[in-house]
Amino acid sequence: MAEVQLLGARGSPFVQRVQYALKLKGIEYTFIDENIKNKSELLLKYNPVYKKVPVLVHNGKPLSESLVIIEYIDETWENYPILPQQAYEKALARFWSKFIDDKIWPAIAKAAWTVNKEEREKGNEEVLQALQFLENELKNKFFGGENIGIVDIAASFIAFWLPTLEEAIGLKFLSGGKFPKLQKWSQEFINHPIVKEILPPREGLSAYFKTRYAALSSAK
Amino acid sequence: MAEVQLLGARGSPFVQRVQYALKLKGIEYTFIDENIKNKSELLLKYNPVYKKVPVLVHNGKPLSESLVIIEYIDETWENYPILPQQAYEKALARFWSKFIDDKIWPAIAKAAWTVNKEEREKGNEEVLQALQFLENELKNKFFGGENIGIVDIAASFIAFWLPTLEEAIGLKFLSGGKFPKLQKWSQEFINHPIVKEILPPREGLSAYFKTRYAALSSAK
């Protein structure tokens, strides 16, 4: 077995983050597909705190939390730097990656999956505000400059998962025309050769969103 | 003016985190006391995303988010390492620091300040569960070994702020006797000479908690 294993689940944008980092570095790994409805002993042993994927196992030592894993990968394999080299730029990259997890992801969940209409509208506003901050931060082809960096990886669900969700359930964020730089970035990102290798088929994801939304609508 | 400024507010455990890091490294800084009810132009300019303290300004460049700031300080001033040197131990330190922010802080807020009784009880359970994970992790005098490290700094509100809160409003977490290692650590931490310099008087904090709790009780 390879010295690197990734406990994951197909379609999880958090698992995909780790896959991007591993692939960008050219690290060989074994993908262990977890059934999240019937969690393996291995997952429970390796991530007793959250019992969630992704878990990276390197030489038998487990790590969880996608952004923590990515920093570990970047420090352990030095080719293709994923974080900036200078302390200040590195700190900013951490700040924006954390912002994406703390602000954008929960706001999208609120806008898409909350039954209460007022809450959904509040979520909608929060997504738009947060995306505007990100739009203002994008100064180059990628957040990482000419190459994909940690902020691009953290934001990867905005490039693929979000547009698919918007189309499936009728939301307007990236597709609303307010964020031309993010829209262009989204195309650059999903057309990157490494990213293309990892992205799941759009149809499957779209069908999943539609089913989930239908179940939600019947509860409204 | 010193090359390092800290926009803070007295009594904020998140600001104290940054103060511990600066003091441990022996870095001179100017403390700029913010009135959080009337935020300064400087704060709004330097932290437009969250409009919150702490903000560290180093050579005119601002950074926010306490854990991001601490990693920056550790990378910029090399004496007294705050994070472990090895990549795996460093990743674990990041994992536990994040766990404290994501799990323990919100659970305490739920247990202490939620009006709904069931929610408060749920919060209570969550705090106990999360503290148990932390108790199991504590293998030495400090989480950082013989010296205070980033996990100790992240957990600092558990050492001082939490026992004060427990006493003020009648909660039983550290004081409940279930976490002997954390209780001992809490004493070690608050008696550390650097920490003692920074901690506010316990009475003021206790009075604040009692007032807040009385306002909440009248809403119950």
Side-chain angles (χ1 to χ4, degrees):
Chain A
M1 203 182 256
E3 64 169 18
V4 178
Q5 290 109 40
L6 175 63
L7 276 66
R10 307 275 173 201
S12 155
F14 295 96
V15 174
Q16 282 156 19
R17 285 178 173 179
V18 179
Q19 291 179 286
Y20 297 139
L22 291 168
K23 282 269 178 191
L24 286 166
K25 298 263 187 190
I27 302 162
E28 301 236 350
Y29 65 98
T30 307
F31 189 95
I32 301 172
D33 209 354
E34 281 289 326
N35 176 356
I36 52 169
K37 289 183 182 158
N38 183 17
K39 294 173 181 179
S40 72
E41 285 301 313
L42 203 63
L43 177 60
L44 302 178
K45 176 182 148 198
Y46 279 155
N47 187 2
V49 176
Y50 296 106
K51 305 174 180 71
K52 280 184 183 170
V53 291
V55 174
L56 185 85
V57 188
H58 182 210
N59 292 329
K61 291 181 183 169
L63 268 184
S64 45
E65 295 285 75
S66 62
L67 296 177
V68 171
I69 294 172
I70 289 166
E71 289 221 38
Y72 172 78
I73 290 172
D74 202 37
E75 284 166 10
T76 305
W77 289 271
E78 293 184 354
N79 65 314
Y80 191 101
I82 293 176
L83 275 94
Q85 302 300 292
Q86 300 296 318
Y88 186 71
E89 282 66 37
K90 196 186 275 192
L92 289 182
R94 288 186 181 125
F95 173 86
W96 288 110
S97 302
K98 185 169 160 45
F99 171 79
I100 288 162
D101 274 5
D102 290 353
K103 292 290 158 188
I104 303 192
W105 182 260
I108 292 173
K110 205 197 270 187
W113 310 122
T114 314
V115 173
N116 181 290
K117 199 183 162 213
E118 270 177 39
E119 274 298 293
R120 275 209 316 283
E121 280 169 8
K122 222 176 120 189
N124 219 67
E125 271 311 299
E126 287 170 13
V127 176
L128 292 171
Q129 267 186 24
L131 288 178
Q132 189 61 55
F133 277 114
L134 220 52
E135 173 85 1
N136 299 344
E137 269 309 297
L138 191 54
K139 313 248 158 79
N140 295 294
K141 183 174 172 186
F142 294 113
F143 290 97
E146 282 308 299
N147 294 312
I148 289 178
I150 193 167
V151 180
D152 299 284
I153 293 176
S156 55
F157 67 83
I158 299 169
F160 174 75
W161 187 97
L162 181 62
T164 311
L165 175 72
E166 291 185 28
E167 195 188 74
I169 74 172
L171 289 167
K172 290 264 176 218
F173 297 128
L174 276 207
S175 56
K178 287 184 182 167
F179 309 109
K181 289 197 287 177
L182 281 176
Q183 239 178 323
K184 187 161 176 294
W185 163 84
S186 156
Q187 289 306 309
E188 296 281 6
F189 188 84
I190 64 174
N191 285 311
H192 187 287
I194 291 284
V195 172
K196 271 177 144 169
E197 279 181 43
I198 292 160
L199 284 181
R202 187 161 170 148
E203 299 67 35
L205 187 61
S206 180
Y208 164 76
F209 288 144
K210 282 179 183 160
T211 308
R212 187 166 168 191
Y213 191 69
L216 181 76
S217 299
S218 67
K220 271 175 204 164
Chain B
M1 205 182 252
E3 64 169 18
V4 178
Q5 290 109 41
L6 175 62
L7 278 66
R10 306 276 172 200
S12 155
F14 295 96
V15 173
Q16 283 155 19
R17 284 179 174 179
V18 179
Q19 291 180 284
Y20 297 138
L22 290 167
K23 284 268 178 191
L24 286 166
K25 296 264 187 187
I27 301 163
E28 300 237 351
Y29 65 97
T30 307
F31 189 94
I32 301 173
D33 208 356
E34 282 289 327
N35 176 355
I36 53 168
K37 289 185 182 156
N38 183 17
K39 294 173 182 179
S40 72
E41 285 299 314
L42 203 64
L43 178 60
L44 301 179
K45 176 182 149 198
Y46 280 153
N47 188 1
V49 175
Y50 296 106
K51 305 175 180 70
K52 280 184 183 170
V53 292
V55 175
L56 185 86
V57 187
H58 182 211
N59 293 328
K61 291 181 183 169
L63 269 183
S64 44
E65 294 286 73
S66 62
L67 296 178
V68 172
I69 294 172
I70 289 166
E71 288 221 39
Y72 172 77
I73 290 172
D74 202 37
E75 284 166 9
T76 305
W77 289 271
E78 294 184 353
N79 66 313
Y80 192 100
I82 293 175
L83 276 93
Q85 303 299 293
Q86 299 297 318
Y88 185 70
E89 282 66 35
K90 197 186 274 191
L92 289 182
R94 288 186 181 125
F95 174 86
W96 288 111
S97 303
K98 185 169 159 45
F99 170 79
I100 288 163
D101 275 4
D102 291 353
K103 291 290 158 189
I104 303 192
W105 183 260
I108 293 174
K110 205 196 270 186
W113 311 123
T114 313
V115 174
N116 182 289
K117 198 181 162 213
E118 269 178 39
E119 274 297 294
R120 275 209 316 282
E121 280 169 8
K122 222 176 120 190
N124 219 67
E125 271 311 300
E126 287 170 13
V127 176
L128 293 171
Q129 268 186 22
L131 288 178
Q132 189 61 56
F133 277 115
L134 220 52
E135 173 87 0
N136 299 345
E137 269 309 296
L138 190 55
K139 315 250 157 78
N140 295 294
K141 182 174 172 186
F142 294 113
F143 290 97
E146 281 309 298
N147 294 311
I148 289 178
I150 192 166
V151 180
D152 299 284
I153 294 177
S156 55
F157 68 85
I158 298 169
F160 174 74
W161 187 97
L162 182 62
T164 312
L165 176 73
E166 291 184 30
E167 196 187 73
I169 74 171
L171 290 168
K172 289 264 176 217
F173 296 128
L174 275 208
S175 56
K178 287 184 182 167
F179 309 109
K181 290 197 287 177
L182 280 177
Q183 239 177 322
K184 187 160 177 292
W185 163 85
S186 157
Q187 289 306 310
E188 296 281 6
F189 188 84
I190 63 175
N191 285 312
H192 187 288
I194 291 285
V195 172
K196 271 177 144 170
E197 279 181 44
I198 291 159
L199 284 181
R202 187 162 170 147
E203 298 68 35
L205 187 62
S206 181
Y208 164 76
F209 287 144
K210 282 180 182 160
T211 309
R212 187 167 167 190
Y213 191 68
L216 181 77
S217 298
S218 68
K220 271 176 204 163

